[in-house]
């Protein structure tokens, strides 16, 4: 049977969710598909390209319809969308943050956040820095959150060592960054 690129990505997503990023190898994917590892290189030049395709798939699966509201509400919705996409799969946070850090993949979460901030009248440079600040907060928060969730489910820790973990503290962190963006905007108008 000939496999398409989408079939390989689908199998890779399944392996990621079942076994984690450490066990997501070209050899394992090929074995589960009944192929030689070299057959995967017909579709992907290297493992990094495959991981980027898997990260793109996770982001696509988590994408929601755009909200037509104020810029800050759009940013909150986009941040929650990204958080949910990362938490939906084992090691999703690590995979998505890593592929972003390496500049891989075709889906760039910062682009939509930047567009929401630009739509409010901010210049491109400011909007990009603000979006990257928000993105780094989301990546860091969700990576920490996912590590704690996985450690708790494995019995390595008891309870929630993060304190007020979850959506409430995530929202508080977002609100602090958004307040800074608003403050900067007001200061530049004065």
């Amino acid at each position: 049977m000939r496999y398409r690129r989408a079939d390989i990505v689908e199998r890779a997503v399944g392996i990621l969710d079942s076994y984690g990023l450490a066990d997501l190898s070209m050899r394992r994917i090929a074995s589960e598909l009944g192929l030689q590892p070299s057959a995967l290189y017909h579709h992907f030049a290297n493992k990094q390209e495959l991981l980027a395709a898997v990260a793109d798939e996770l982001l696509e699966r988590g994408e929601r319809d755009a909200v037509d509201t104020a810029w800050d509400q759009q940013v909150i919705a986009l941040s929650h969308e990204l958080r949910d996409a990362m938490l939906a799969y084992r090691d999703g946070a690590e995979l998505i943050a890593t592929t972003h850090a390496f500049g891989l993949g075709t889906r760039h979460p910062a682009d939509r956040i930047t567009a929401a901030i630009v739509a409010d009248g901010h210049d491109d440079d400011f909007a990009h820095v603000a979006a990257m600040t928000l993105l780094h907060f989301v990546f860091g928060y969700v990576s920490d959150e996912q590590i704690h969730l996985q450690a708790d489910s494995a019995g390595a820790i008891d309870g929630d060592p993060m304190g007020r973990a979850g959506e409430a503290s995530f929202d508080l962190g977002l609100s602090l960054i958004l307040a800074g963006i608003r403050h900067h905007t007001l200061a530049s108008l004065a």
Side-chain angles (χ1 to χ4, degrees), residues 6-110:
D7 299 325
I8 296 167
V9 170
E10 181 67 32
R11 184 59 56 104
V13 168
I15 293 170
L16 174 71
D17 202 33
S18 296
Y19 303 103
L21 189 55
D23 288 331
L24 183 58
S25 68
M26 298 296 262
R27 183 174 306 283
R28 181 171 205 144
I29 296 165
S31 174
E32 289 202 11
L33 292 171
L35 301 171
Q36 292 297 315
S38 60
L40 299 180
Y41 293 99
H42 174 72
H43 299 281
F44 299 96
N46 53 46
K47 183 178 178 182
Q48 290 74 26
E49 189 178 304
L50 172 63
L51 293 176
V54 173
D56 285 345
E57 179 67 20
L58 300 185
L59 290 170
E60 183 177 340
R61 290 180 182 189
E63 196 168 295
R64 300 178 189 142
D65 292 334
V67 292
D68 187 22
T69 60
W71 73 272
D72 51 352
Q73 293 304 306
Q74 290 178 37
V75 167
I76 290 169
L78 290 168
S79 298
H80 276 274
E81 174 184 304
L82 178 57
R83 176 178 178 252
D84 293 346
M86 293 168 72
L87 288 175
Y89 297 90
R90 182 176 178 172
D91 295 338
E94 181 181 355
L95 175 64
I96 291 171
T98 300
T99 56
H100 178 268
F102 291 165
L104 302 172
T106 59
R107 294 182 163 280
H108 305 286

Side-chain angles (χ1 to χ4, degrees), residues 133-173:
T133 301
L134 283 155
L135 193 61
H136 289 136
F137 166 74
V138 174
F139 284 164
Y141 187 94
V142 178
S143 292
D144 195 47
E145 185 177 24
Q146 191 161 59
I147 288 167
H148 284 96
L149 289 169
Q150 290 173 353
D152 184 44
S153 71
I157 59 174
D158 288 328
D160 181 14
M162 293 176 63
R164 288 185 56 217
E167 200 163 325
S169 60
F170 181 74
D171 285 337
L172 178 59

